[in-house]
Amino acid sequence: MGQPLTAGTAITVGIIGCGAISAQYLASFHRLPNIRLTAVADLDLSRAQAVADSCDGVRAVTVDELLADPAVGLVLNLTIPAAHADIALQTIAAGKAVYGEKPLAASTKEAREVLDAAKAAGVAVGCAPDTVLGTGIQTARKAIDDGLIGTPIAAAAVMATPGHERWHPNPDFYYQPGGGPLLDMGPYYVTALVTLLGPVVSVTGAASHTRDQRTIGSGPRAGETVPVHVDSHVTGTLTHAGGAISTLVMSFDSVRTKSPNLEIHGERGSLVVPDPNRFDGDVELFMPGAADWEVLPVSAGYVGAGRGFGIADLAATGPGSEPRAGGELAFHILDVMESLLEAARTGAATAVRSTAARPAPVPLTPARPEDSPDGSLPRA
């Protein structure tokens, strides 16, 4: 079993952007002793104050005040995708590490500027999703790495929903550049595919959108329409460096599907992998001659993980090493998605110019000693 995250260096965190997703990070921070939240900021100061009031010892400040605060070592960037690069660059200029929600930036051009600036400043960059660090994807990865299904041949990843405007009170950014089903939900699925099968070298694709506007279904703006400026259904084929071929369907136009979120097919068996937007879930194996799918025991990953474990993993990563939810991987994921949209536009296969190493696997690891089955410290 791996060392608990408490073995990592403590890091002080400030949050910029106190929207809905911030609550999920706050829930994890309470369980991660090597993370200490010190300050929060939002363009709407009342939202920042509401978060600060819910957390002991946390101050609500302006963005400029947070960036200038020497007590903040890392900025968690939870702004909308269009602002990701700008906030990241301001953070880096202030000499702080940055961990952002996905995607890393609205374009690979902006993302490269972020990584180049971070390298020059000597600060770390991390990026969601960190769902791949949980027991679901990591147990599947261990099964593949252990040769349980033989050489991987193919994978299928499917996300089908009628659209986030049904439940999100402010869904505008989902239908602006940097949004859409591919750039919004695709990072979970493409990151899982790269974690399981390795980097992508080329893509083909097709894309469409069925409506020019969407109607908000909940909250104070219910009934209001928002314009659609991105493709809302994207299908692609991804060729991995190791030879496996993945098919990807990301849709805000589909009502429902019975397809598994993610399947991996090897020469000797097949795996059903849990939802890449979750940290846990059953991994199922089917082998020739079996009567039914077999649920594999949990064998790898951070136990009980949630959003923010990628930050704790970054804090526990040695100097000069790339964190598992690191900027180079996030850049490659963005490059794959951008290349897929380009392939859909041109109708031609498109080479993916970047690459990234598969992140190091996560041994079965409790966040804290008390998360171990017997309450004791795990042994390496």
Side-chain angles (χ1 to χ4, degrees):
M1 196 176 278
Q3 290 292 336
L5 284 174
T6 49
T9 302
I11 190 166
T12 52
V13 174
I15 296 176
I16 297 179
C18 297
I21 193 66
S22 64
Q24 296 188 40
Y25 282 90
L26 295 174
S28 292
F29 289 172
H30 292 308
R31 301 184 292 115
L32 291 168
N34 68 336
I35 289 181
R36 183 167 64 88
L37 182 63
T38 63
V40 294
D42 193 283
L43 292 178
D44 181 348
L45 188 57
S46 66
R47 293 207 303 186
Q49 191 63 57
V51 171
D53 290 344
S54 71
C55 304
D56 292 339
V58 175
R59 297 171 295 111
V61 297
T62 67
V63 171
D64 288 343
E65 288 171 338
L66 189 149
L67 291 173
D69 188 347
V72 174
L74 177 144
V75 169
L76 172 56
N77 181 5
L78 301 183
T79 58
I80 62 172
H84 283 182
D86 179 55
I87 294 297
L89 288 170
Q90 290 185 54
T91 300
I92 293 163
K96 304 179 189 301
V98 61
Y99 183 97
E101 255 303 324
K102 46 73 187 168
L104 181 59
S107 68
T108 52
K109 179 178 182 298
E110 291 182 348
R112 179 46 61 193
E113 291 174 359
V114 169
L115 294 184
D116 287 349
K119 183 177 181 180
V123 300
V125 175
C127 187
D130 52 3
T131 45
V132 292
L133 307 182
T135 54
I137 301 299
Q138 290 295 320
T139 293
R141 169 163 179 172
K142 189 173 190 306
I144 293 171
D145 290 352
D146 288 349
L148 209 57
I149 64 170
T151 301
I153 297 169
V158 179
M159 190 287 300
T161 173
H164 292 348
E165 72 279 2
R166 294 171 302 120
W167 57 268
H168 199 292
N170 295 293
D172 310 59
F173 68 93
Y174 289 118
Y175 299 102
Q176 301 296 322
L182 183 62
L183 288 177
D184 176 53
M185 297 299 292
Y188 298 109
Y189 291 78
V190 180
T191 303
L193 288 169
V194 171
T195 296
L196 296 170
L197 302 174
V200 177
V201 295
S202 67
V203 295
T204 60
S208 65
H209 78 271
T210 59
R211 284 170 277 170
D212 292 328
Q213 61 183 23
R214 299 282 179 133
T215 302
I216 300 174
S218 65
R221 297 173 62 197
E224 183 181 333
T225 60
V226 296
V228 176
H229 296 297
V230 294
D231 287 314
S232 48
H233 183 99
V234 182
T235 299
T237 303
L238 285 56
T239 301
H240 295 264
I245 299 173
S246 298
T247 57
L248 182 73
V249 177
M250 298 285 110
S251 181
F252 283 168
D253 293 336
S254 302
V255 175
R256 187 173 288 272
T257 180
K258 293 181 72 174
S259 299
N261 294 105
L262 185 56
E263 290 182 319
I264 309 292
H265 305 290
E267 59 183 348
R268 293 205 302 267
S270 294
L271 291 173
V272 170
V273 182
D275 185 350
N277 193 17
R278 293 179 52 194
F279 288 84
D280 55 13
D282 290 339
V283 177
E284 298 179 73
L285 169 71
F286 198 99
M287 302 289 283
D292 203 352
W293 293 86
E294 170 194 359
V295 176
L296 297 180
V298 172
S299 59
Y302 290 125
V303 178
R307 281 173 170 79
F309 271 59
I311 300 172
D313 185 88
L314 181 152
T317 300
S321 298
E322 181 75 1
R324 291 183 175 95
E328 292 297 338
L329 175 62
F331 182 90
H332 180 61
I333 301 307
L334 180 58
D335 193 14
V336 170
M337 296 187 298
E338 198 172 85
S339 298
L340 176 51
L341 292 175
E342 175 67 12
R345 186 185 68 81
T346 63
T350 300
V352 178
R353 289 168 293 183
S354 68
T355 191
R358 289 173 81 202
V362 181
L364 189 61
T365 306
R368 304 168 299 180
E370 57 265 38
D371 292 329
S372 298
D374 62 358
S376 63
L377 279 170
R379 289 176 293 186

